[in-house]
Amino acid sequence: MAIAKKLILAPLFLIVFALLVSQLSPFLKSYDFIFSLSINTLITLLVLSFYVLISCFLFVLFATLAQNFKIILPIAFLSALIPLLFLESALALVLAVAIFVSFLLTFLSLANSLKSYLTFKPEALLGPAIRSLAGFLIAAVCLVYFLSANKIVAEKGFQIPDSLIDTALQLSTSSLPSVQPEQASLSQDLIKQTVKDQIQTFIKPYINFIPAGLALLLFLTLQSLTSILNLLIYPLLWITFAILERTGFVKFEVEQRPVKKLVV
């Protein structure tokens, strides 16, 4: 029964983590989305950030309840194998190693915290572990994204997406006097091609740095979104342990310890 209680969150964690990894495949096929200003792209990134944070929450909660290296290590290993189901082998292997190391480092840090605390406060004990694990996983995702983008740029080169140029031109020409539709269309196409050529000429010497820049931009975006969503983790931790205590799943013991004071 004790083993069952320690493993009860493992299947849920693996399912949510599999959903997270399954969201990565579209991101690795193109770099265009990073330049998109659409609501759909924002929603997609929010969903990805949500899965990252919930995966971290479930792993830390599972590790806290298990507190056993022999139980946690196999689950961490299984989660690291999940990318092999959704990504191409080279990228999947890199992500698998990064994931396993992230979970291992998080557990070692968490185990140390759980051995040294005086009063169990889930927000203070588990919150930092969830936040740091989210950073590790985002860094792992961005590493794989960098490798993917680097391969795409090496094979196909780099082109500024037309959607980004169109948006910039619409903003810059919205205040210009109105003209005939035919003239406006011709002028717009000419300006668009001129701007695109100038940008491509400007970035050509720096094309080898483009994948790293894209990966950094993705990291900052996901880190910002998860930081906002992380505000929900603290009340969620409090509610979770309140429910676990009310249902008798866990219990707390109050200890009285002797205190040594100096008297002169």
Side-chain angles (χ1 to χ4, degrees):
M1 181 61 181
I3 296 296
K5 290 177 69 174
K6 293 177 182 294
L7 285 170
I8 193 169
L9 286 177
L12 181 59
F13 159 68
L14 291 173
I15 291 172
V16 174
F17 192 71
L19 290 173
L20 164 63
V21 177
S22 69
Q23 300 293 312
L24 299 180
S25 183
F27 287 93
L28 303 180
K29 294 179 180 178
S30 173
Y31 52 73
D32 289 355
F33 81 93
I34 202 70
F35 297 103
S36 177
L37 303 177
S38 68
I39 296 297
N40 290 336
T41 300
L42 177 60
I43 292 174
T44 301
L45 291 172
L46 278 171
V47 170
L48 183 62
S49 301
F50 174 78
Y51 278 130
V52 167
L53 211 53
I54 293 300
S55 296
C56 296
F57 170 80
L58 289 173
F59 177 80
V60 170
L61 188 58
F62 157 69
T64 301
L65 296 178
Q67 295 191 41
N68 188 324
F69 192 81
K70 293 180 180 180
I71 294 176
I72 296 170
L73 189 62
I75 298 301
F77 182 74
L78 282 176
S79 66
L81 295 180
I82 290 177
L84 298 174
L85 302 176
F86 297 98
L87 308 179
E88 62 176 85
S89 57
L91 297 178
L93 184 60
V94 172
L95 186 58
V97 173
I99 286 171
F100 184 74
V101 171
S102 299
F103 286 141
L104 182 60
L105 292 177
T106 300
F107 169 65
L108 293 176
S109 176
L110 181 63
N112 184 58
S113 299
L114 293 174
K115 289 178 181 177
S116 59
Y117 72 87
L118 294 178
T119 301
F120 186 83
K121 294 181 179 179
E123 313 91 67
L125 285 172
L126 309 187
I130 294 172
R131 190 166 57 248
S132 62
L133 179 55
F136 286 147
L137 291 184
I138 290 173
V141 168
C142 292
L143 172 61
V144 173
Y145 177 74
F146 162 75
L147 296 175
S148 176
N150 193 52
K151 181 180 179 182
I152 293 173
V153 170
E155 293 178 351
K156 302 179 181 179
F158 177 77
Q159 295 287 331
I160 292 292
D162 290 343
S163 58
L164 184 63
I165 298 178
D166 290 339
T167 301
L169 290 177
Q170 287 174 5
L171 293 175
S172 62
T173 60
S174 58
S175 59
L176 296 178
S178 58
V179 295
Q180 295 295 328
E182 296 81 1
Q183 295 176 339
S185 176
L186 181 61
S187 176
Q188 190 84 351
D189 291 341
L190 181 60
I191 294 174
K192 176 180 175 180
Q193 187 60 46
T194 302
V195 170
K196 189 172 183 179
D197 291 342
Q198 290 177 345
I199 294 176
Q200 292 296 141
T201 301
F202 175 77
I203 66 175
K204 187 176 181 179
Y206 311 101
I207 194 167
N208 291 332
F209 301 99
I210 293 295
L214 295 175
L216 178 61
L217 183 59
L218 179 61
F219 177 82
L220 295 175
T221 301
L222 292 178
Q223 191 74 0
S224 299
L225 293 175
T226 52
S227 296
I228 296 172
L229 294 176
N230 191 61
L231 297 175
L232 302 174
I233 289 297
Y234 296 97
L236 183 58
L237 281 169
W238 184 86
I239 292 171
T240 299
F241 278 93
I243 294 173
L244 292 176
E245 185 180 14
R246 285 286 184 89
T247 57
F249 192 87
V250 299
K251 62 180 181 179
F252 296 95
E253 296 179 351
V254 179
E255 297 180 353
Q256 294 182 349
R257 301 183 182 183
V259 177
K260 183 179 181 180
K261 292 185 177 182
L262 174 65
V263 178
V264 180

